[in-house]
């Protein structure tokens, strides 16, 4: 099989990477800690070494999810400002009015959400 000389470093790197993966998998099997069935705690909940308190199925308030969705919505709005900020001179007055309309729509949505009480955590 004739391989061009350009492929030899790629094949060497692939062989080194594959051998590292195989050596790591085999090494961890033999060098890792052995646990008996009595010590197996794989099915327990674990969070930073803190013992579990209560049920994990406790329902969250809808306000939590609403706030998360609103955050994502208004965060994505900020992403659309980047192209305008980079090219604002090329867009001219027409581009400025388009961005102003875009901001006005989101500002009205923010006022609506605020007046509906979606941002009040006390309720």
């Amino acid at each position: 099989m004739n391989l061009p000389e350009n492929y030899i470093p790629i094949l060497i790197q692939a062989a080194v990477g594959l051998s590292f993966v195989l050596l790591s998998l085999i090494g961890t099997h033999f060098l890792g800690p052995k646990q008996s069935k009595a010590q197996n705690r794989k099915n327990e909940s674990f969070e930073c070494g803190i013992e579990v308190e209560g049920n994990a199925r406790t329902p969250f308030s809808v306000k939590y999810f609403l706030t998360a969705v609103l955050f994502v919505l208004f965060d994505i709005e900020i992403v659309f400002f980047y192209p305008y900020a980079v090219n604002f001179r090329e867009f001219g007055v027409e581009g400025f009015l388009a961005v102003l309309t875009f901001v006005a729509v989101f500002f009205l949505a923010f006022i609506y959400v605020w007046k509906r009480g979606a941002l009040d955590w006390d309720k």
Side-chain angles (χ1 to χ4, degrees):
M1 183 167 120
N2 267 340
L3 288 176
E5 290 182 14
N6 294 344
Y7 290 132
I8 293 174
I10 296 172
L11 292 176
I12 292 172
Q13 186 175 5
V16 168
L18 185 63
S19 63
F20 175 75
V21 169
L22 291 175
L23 184 67
S24 296
L25 289 174
I26 293 170
T28 55
H29 178 71
F30 289 114
L31 298 175
K34 307 291 186 256
Q35 292 185 352
S36 66
K37 298 274 184 193
Q39 294 175 340
N40 190 0
R41 297 175 59 156
K42 285 185 178 180
N43 294 327
E44 289 186 16
S45 298
F46 181 75
E47 180 86 23
C48 301
I50 300 171
E51 292 296 324
V52 178
E53 291 182 18
N55 187 0
R57 305 270 185 233
T58 305
F60 284 97
S61 173
V62 174
K63 287 194 165 286
Y64 172 78
F65 296 108
L66 182 63
T67 304
V69 168
L70 289 173
F71 172 77
V72 170
L73 178 70
F74 288 110
D75 195 42
I76 295 299
E77 173 197 7
I78 300 301
V79 171
F80 285 109
F81 283 126
Y82 184 73
Y84 175 73
V86 171
N87 300 314
F88 73 95
R89 289 189 180 143
E90 296 170 17
F91 291 148
V93 175
E94 185 178 323
F96 178 71
L97 293 176
V99 168
L100 203 60
T101 305
F102 181 72
V103 170
V105 168
F106 272 95
F107 185 70
L108 289 174
F110 177 71
I111 297 297
Y112 174 77
V113 166
W114 189 11
K115 293 294 182 186
R116 293 285 300 199
L119 302 176
D120 292 334
W121 285 96
D122 297 336
K123 292 183 182 179

